[in-house]
Amino acid sequence: KYERFKNTTLGKLLLKDTIISEKCCLNTIIEVLSEKLDLIPFDLSEKHNEINCGDTDISEMSFLDTYKHYFEQSNMQYPLISEYVRAIQDASSNLDKLAHLVPVLDDHGEPYRSSGAFAVVFKMKDEQTGKCYALKCFTEEQEGRAEAYRQIADELEFVDSSYITSVKYLDKEIFVDSSCEEDEFPVLLMDWIDGETMENYIAENYQDNYAMSMLCYRFCKMAAWLRSQPFAHGDIKPDNIMVRPDGNLTLVDYDGMFVPAMKGQKSPTIGTKDFSHPLRTVDDFNETIDDFALASIALSLKAISLRPSLLDEYGGADRLLFSVEDYRDLSNSNVFVSLSELLGDTDLLLLYS
């Protein structure tokens, strides 16, 4: 990525090492890296504070050297999913402390897996106990991930609830033969949750009034439990909630979780836009960050249980009834107006309020 950066107009300019405004240099670099090269600059908040107190002139080369150091030291490369698959196929040889786990195979004889934006998750089994686990292997670097997951694991270790699964972060656990400079990479071990995502469950059952009423009831019970805890999930949405075969719910994907040990830090995410408060920022990071999403989803589930056609009319990909545009201006929200017709139901009235 640094080589790509050097060949940009900005990179070539910086190599001439002229003197310019520090603020100009900083803002230009951030724009080029984040928009033109799809890179994420490191946290420059302290540098911003320095600059905003008095815009000084500095050597452009000093900024280039800083970013060169960032790319070389912080931008760890990770294997491709196909490279992880090959490693998992011979798990006994490529895993360290987890070498006793074997991959569960799909109908094609491949390791059973699902992938997301930053990771791939494999279903693994301990053949001695018969217990299954989810093994999460990362495909992208996320700053502070190791320490965050250690703090999350410490917090959840003694939480006795079916709403949460235990997590364990293991550094340099899996050996992968890849084009990366490193050959050992971290993993996250979690209990495997049988069932389907709440997103899929709703798509299959939204016209069943009883099924949706029970889902709303169970969701509200989970929400009440979660709001009583000193931690927060950070990205509440149907795709991050599993519906078990018995109907009970379990939260998954803890990348954005807040635990008390993180007090004063910035949030790694602001959630998913159609389930988050429109004014939420990375500075909002405490045990209350789930409250808005919980209220929005609970109201949507209750409304759908009473009138399934609302999902057909207002639903969309990766959301339920409300969009971020609705949150920004409820007075002009068609779905919010439609819900007013259902206020004769006391439960919906409470959630609506």
Side-chain angles (χ1 to χ4, degrees):
K1 290 177 179 178
Y2 171 64
E3 290 301 318
R4 291 172 61 197
F5 175 60
K6 277 202 310 185
N7 291 325
T8 64
T9 302
L10 177 63
K12 292 174 182 177
L13 170 66
L14 292 177
L15 290 173
K16 296 177 182 177
D17 200 21
T18 55
I19 301 297
I20 65 163
S21 160
E22 188 175 12
K23 184 183 287 186
C24 171
C25 186
L26 177 65
N27 291 339
T28 306
I29 287 178
I30 289 177
E31 179 183 354
V32 170
L33 291 181
S34 61
E35 296 182 12
K36 302 296 190 296
L37 294 181
D38 298 323
L39 306 179
I40 302 174
F42 58 88
D43 185 7
L44 286 167
S45 56
E46 291 185 8
K47 200 66 186 173
H48 268 300
N49 291 337
E50 289 177 25
I51 295 169
N52 290 334
C53 290
D55 191 18
T56 57
D57 289 337
I58 63 154
S59 162
E60 287 180 306
M61 184 63 77
S62 67
F63 263 96
L64 183 63
D65 286 342
T66 301
Y67 272 86
K68 181 176 184 293
H69 174 76
Y70 167 66
F71 289 139
E72 291 178 343
Q73 302 299 324
S74 302
N75 244 17
M76 178 179 175
Q77 290 182 311
Y78 283 83
L80 302 172
I81 292 177
S82 58
E83 293 169 333
Y84 274 125
V85 170
R86 287 197 297 271
I88 290 295
Q89 286 173 329
D90 189 12
S92 60
S93 299
N94 293 319
L95 292 176
D96 184 15
K97 296 180 178 65
L98 304 177
H100 60 288
L101 300 181
V102 298
V104 175
L105 304 181
D106 61 20
D107 295 337
H108 304 288
E110 291 280 309
Y112 186 92
R113 63 190 182 274
S114 62
S115 58
F118 301 106
V120 56
V121 178
F122 294 95
K123 185 177 183 179
M124 309 293 288
K125 185 176 183 179
D126 184 337
E127 293 192 319
Q128 293 292 321
T129 64
K131 185 174 181 178
C132 289
Y133 296 88
L135 187 72
K136 190 171 188 176
C137 300
F138 303 102
T139 55
E140 294 284 345
E141 174 73 355
Q142 289 174 287
E143 186 178 354
R145 177 170 54 206
E147 180 59 24
Y149 263 116
R150 290 189 185 99
Q151 293 172 331
I152 292 168
D154 289 344
E155 178 69 29
L156 300 184
E157 183 177 2
F158 302 107
V159 176
D160 184 17
S161 173
S162 62
Y163 295 133
I164 290 285
T165 178
S166 62
V167 297
K168 187 175 183 181
Y169 184 89
L170 297 96
D171 200 18
K172 296 186 177 182
E173 171 62 27
I174 185 170
F175 173 86
V176 183
D177 184 9
S178 70
S179 58
C180 303
E181 291 183 8
E182 303 287 335
D183 55 18
E184 293 179 326
F185 300 91
V187 302
L188 195 69
L189 185 70
M190 303 161 285
D191 292 336
W192 182 264
I193 307 298
D194 284 318
E196 60 183 324
T197 66
M198 195 168 91
E199 183 177 48
N200 289 341
Y201 183 88
I202 292 171
E204 295 168 359
N205 296 279
Y206 76 98
Q207 293 182 321
D208 185 330
N209 298 89
Y210 177 76
M212 292 303 298
S213 293
M214 289 304 300
L215 179 62
C216 181
Y217 170 74
R218 288 172 172 141
F219 179 84
C220 289
K221 284 192 67 176
M222 182 188 73
W225 175 86
L226 185 59
R227 294 192 67 235
S228 71
Q229 302 303 309
F231 53 82
H233 180 275
D235 191 14
I236 297 288
K237 60 180 178 179
D239 199 40
N240 283 341
I241 303 170
M242 296 295 294
V243 182
R244 296 174 182 260
D246 62 2
N248 287 318
L249 307 180
T250 301
L251 294 163
V252 296
D253 194 348
Y254 304 153
D255 288 352
M257 180 170 273
F258 167 84
V259 297
M262 297 175 180
K263 187 176 181 180
Q265 298 179 21
K266 292 187 182 297
S267 175
T269 177
I270 56 171
T272 301
K273 64 176 184 177
D274 290 328
F275 297 100
S276 295
H277 194 289
L279 300 182
R280 180 179 169 185
T281 70
V282 294
D283 293 320
D284 301 307
F285 196 42
N286 54 47
E287 69 277 8
T288 69
I289 54 175
D290 293 332
D291 291 2
F292 186 85
L294 294 172
S296 175
I297 294 173
L299 177 58
S300 294
L301 292 177
K302 186 61 184 178
I304 294 168
S305 74
L306 296 173
R307 186 177 292 176
S309 60
L310 286 170
L311 188 62
D312 294 319
E313 188 172 355
Y314 298 110
D318 300 321
R319 66 180 176 87
L320 292 177
L321 299 184
F322 295 99
S323 70
V324 65
E325 286 77 18
D326 293 307
Y327 301 143
R328 288 184 177 134
D329 188 5
L330 284 176
S331 62
N332 288 316
S333 166
N334 291 331
V335 62
F336 204 66
V337 172
S338 296
L339 295 190
S340 64
E341 301 171 7
L342 304 175
L343 295 182
D345 184 277
T346 54
D347 290 335
L348 185 130
L349 177 62
L350 179 62
L351 293 168
Y352 186 91
S353 68

